[in-house]
Amino acid sequence: MSTFSSLPGPIGVFDSGYGGLTILRGIRSLMPEYDYIYLGDNARAPYGTRSFDVVYEFTRQAVVHLFELGCHLVVLGCNTASAKALRSIQQNDLPHLDPQRRVLGIIIPTAEVMGQLTQSRHVGVLATEGTIRSGSYGMEIQKRFPDIVVTGQACPMWVPLVENNETDNPGTHFFVQKSMEQLMSRDNEIDTIILGCTHYPILYPVIKEHARSGVSIICQGEYVARSLCDYLSRHPEMDMRCSKNGHIRYLTTENAEKFSEKAAIFLNEKIEVEHISLG
């Protein structure tokens, strides 16, 4: 028997840090009437280099906390958590925590649209080391479209560049160009590139500049938002459990003032942030 509130509550969006704000931005632009809680585990970020076990444990703690705050539905707005923790939480934890609650990821919604986006059937993925090493994009895309060839490229320098607001300097251009060249040298037929880290849309103009003509750059926010909207229309019982007052709360495990300052890079607005502890 669940000890969580049965009253309608906000949609939770979780990330290890700031990147999930690009997912939240996409969801809010499509579904502004819903309430949201964003939780960034900044004190323990980045997750990309951590083991499966640690990412699972940290993500589970965050999900439980969001359930305690009234969320019936939580989106893991983090590629690493989606790759390393989502399945375990769905299969092992939800049946005991509350079988009526749901946790969704951001890799599958992106994988599902690849069939209609690539003409050459060659797709590239730019992401953190952890996401690339997990092979999640290749597995999820090829499960749906066995004919698509997926090539991944880790870009370890990109997240620090974004978080330090160094999005348009010569060093950024150098690292972006280098990663793009490495990816394309491994598969010259790529016509669609997924930005498989939620920080990377902030670098979109630079990435586009260094992409070959005719190559599409895919940001996840739009596709995750559409998928969530579709999910709620197909599950009216869950939609009824999501409150709709247009409110949003931001929580971080790090310094609230610092989070507010950095979040402006992702949201282009000043926000109020609360500090919480996990674990």
Side-chain angles (χ1 to χ4, degrees), residues 192-209:
T192 306
I193 296 176
I194 299 167
L195 301 186
C197 169
T198 52
H199 280 68
Y200 296 177
I202 305 301
L203 293 170
Y204 181 87
V206 185
I207 296 166
K208 193 72 185 157
E209 190 179 323

Side-chain angles (χ1 to χ4, degrees), residues 209-239:
E209 190 179 323
H210 293 287
R212 188 186 300 157
S213 174
V215 172
S216 302
I217 310 297
I218 305 303
C219 300
Q220 294 171 287
E222 175 193 344
Y223 298 101
V224 171
R226 281 194 218 161
S227 178
L228 181 61
C229 197
D230 176 60
Y231 178 85
L232 290 172
S233 71
R234 287 184 292 107
H235 295 86
E237 73 291 348
M238 178 55 77
D239 189 57

Side-chain angles (χ1 to χ4, degrees), residues 6 14 28 48 69 71 73 75 81 97 106 127 164 181 252 263 267:
S6 58
F14 168 69
R28 280 182 72 201
L69 293 175
C71 300
L73 174 64
V75 177
L97 289 169
I106 59 175
N164 289 295
E181 286 173 355
T252 178
L267 297 172

Side-chain angles (χ1 to χ4, degrees), residues 1-197:
M1 186 69 182
S2 171
T3 56
F4 306 121
S5 169
S6 58
L7 295 171
I11 294 171
V13 178
F14 168 69
D15 185 28
S16 57
Y18 304 101
L21 293 168
T22 62
I23 299 296
L24 176 66
R25 192 173 67 193
I27 294 171
R28 280 182 72 201
S29 67
L30 192 63
M31 302 161 56
E33 70 276 20
Y34 288 79
D35 296 333
Y36 299 95
I37 297 180
Y38 181 88
L39 169 53
D41 188 13
N42 302 73
R44 302 188 293 196
Y47 279 17
T49 53
R50 294 186 182 273
S51 70
F52 272 74
D53 289 347
V54 169
V55 171
Y56 160 68
E57 184 51 36
F58 287 179
T59 305
R60 192 189 64 77
Q61 289 169 5
V63 165
V64 169
H65 192 80
L66 287 166
F67 286 172
E68 287 168 347
L69 293 175
C71 300
H72 293 264
L73 174 64
V74 174
V75 177
L76 303 184
C78 172
N79 284 281
T80 305
S82 294
K84 295 184 173 182
L86 177 63
R87 191 157 292 161
S88 295
I89 288 171
Q90 288 174 332
Q91 293 176 355
N92 303 337
D93 295 300
L94 286 183
H96 308 294
L97 289 169
D98 186 339
Q100 301 304 309
R101 288 175 201 256
R102 293 289 176 266
V103 181
L104 306 175
I106 59 175
I107 292 175
I108 289 174
T110 313
E112 284 173 339
V113 295
M114 282 303 113
Q116 65 204 58
L117 295 180
T118 172
Q119 299 300 310
S120 70
R121 315 311 274 177
H122 290 255
V123 169
V125 180
L126 299 168
T128 64
E129 212 170 294
T131 299
I132 296 298
R133 207 184 300 124
S134 75
S136 295
Y137 274 97
M139 283 188 295
E140 295 298 348
I141 292 171
Q142 285 167 342
K143 198 187 289 180
R144 291 158 180 82
F145 312 103
D147 63 318
I148 294 180
V149 177
V150 182
T151 305
Q153 175 65 45
C155 311
M157 290 301 299
W158 290 19
V159 167
L161 288 167
V162 170
E163 292 197 354
N164 289 295
N165 208 11
E166 301 281 353
T167 51
D168 195 22
N169 66 25
T172 303
H173 281 265
F174 170 79
F175 284 114
V176 169
Q177 184 177 8
K178 186 180 174 187
S179 295
M180 295 291 280
E181 286 173 355
Q182 286 173 323
L183 176 66
M184 298 306 286
S185 71
R186 292 170 59 206
D187 184 352
N188 203 33
E189 293 183 63
I190 289 169
D191 71 348
T192 306
I193 296 176
I194 299 167
L195 301 186
C197 169

